Amino acid sequence: MTTTSRRPAVFFDRDGVLNHDEGYLFEASKFKWMDGAREAVRLVNKAGYFAFIVTNQSGVARGFYQESDVDTLHRWMAEELAADGAHIDAFEYCPDHPEAPIERYRRDCHRRKPRPGMITELMQRFPVATDRSFLIGDQERDLEAARAAGIRGLLFREGNLATFVREAINLR
């Protein structure tokens, strides 16, 4: 694949970046978008970037909800974004946790942040220009995963996500 056919990507953490972190969120009825989140995704789309979500979902491993609940919430998010003219190119999540009470999810997985597996797998599946890509996260483990994947990591803690994304894209 030629370098010119590659596109930059924004890897969004989910809880604490796109939505308020309510702790083990899996229900659309409890989901609250972060200020400017839908506009931020639309800005990423219009700028020609891939938009990805990479999220740890240990609530599955802890037995709080099922993988099907995560998938249902992500479909709902996609519908909400589509209504605003935005889209996510791929949703990735890791349900595993090394101390999980549910045995099949009890493992130290390469996809669980701070490890870079979700990011690197997306970069293998899509023609991502890593030198122009970045991750937006709200925790140090998100930034660690970005560094391990060879991309920039940006810390988002508060404010309007669209304003944050606009500034981040202009930093290139």
Side-chain angles (χ1 to χ4, degrees):
M1 180 162 313
T2 64
T3 313
T4 54
S5 63
R6 295 189 173 276
R7 293 172 33 206
V10 176
F11 297 83
F12 291 98
D13 177 42
R14 195 188 81 185
D15 303 327
V17 174
L18 288 173
N19 59 278
H20 293 272
D21 191 349
E22 303 296 331
Y24 304 110
L25 177 68
F26 68 96
E27 300 154 296
S29 63
K30 294 181 180 175
F31 188 99
K32 293 183 182 101
W33 289 100
M34 200 65 81
D35 289 342
R38 290 182 281 199
E39 181 187 352
V41 175
R42 193 171 56 245
L43 286 169
V44 165
N45 297 154
K46 287 185 177 179
Y49 285 60
F50 289 112
F52 300 127
I53 290 178
V54 289
T55 178
N56 288 345
Q57 291 297 313
S58 70
V60 173
R62 297 171 197 275
F64 299 150
Y65 49 88
Q66 304 292 317
E67 286 192 67
S68 60
D69 296 317
V70 177
D71 294 333
T72 298
L73 181 62
H74 288 170
R75 276 193 303 277
W76 176 85
M77 288 175 68
E79 290 167 7
E80 290 278 303
L81 288 165
D84 282 341
H87 70 275
I88 296 293
D89 292 288
F91 289 84
E92 290 293 326
Y93 69 93
C94 181
D96 301 316
H97 192 278
E99 298 166 13
I102 299 177
E103 188 174 343
R104 73 174 186 223
Y105 296 112
R106 189 181 313 133
R107 62 188 184 129
D108 196 10
C109 182
H110 73 284
R111 292 171 48 84
R112 182 174 171 74
K113 293 179 289 179
R115 293 193 173 160
M118 287 186 282
I119 300 166
T120 57
E121 288 173 13
L122 285 164
M123 291 191 303
Q124 290 168 359
R125 283 184 16 225
F126 292 84
V128 173
T130 56
D131 60 324
R132 295 183 291 144
S133 298
F134 57 93
L135 175 142
I136 300 173
D138 68 325
Q139 303 286 327
E140 179 56 33
R141 69 175 166 251
D142 300 318
L143 306 186
E144 278 184 55
R147 284 191 295 272
I151 62 172
R152 205 166 29 124
L154 303 176
L155 186 63
F156 176 79
R157 286 280 171 87
E158 59 185 31
N160 184 291
L161 187 60
T163 301
F164 188 89
V165 164
R166 197 174 287 112
E167 291 171 7
I169 288 175
N170 288 335
L171 289 176
R172 311 187 274 146

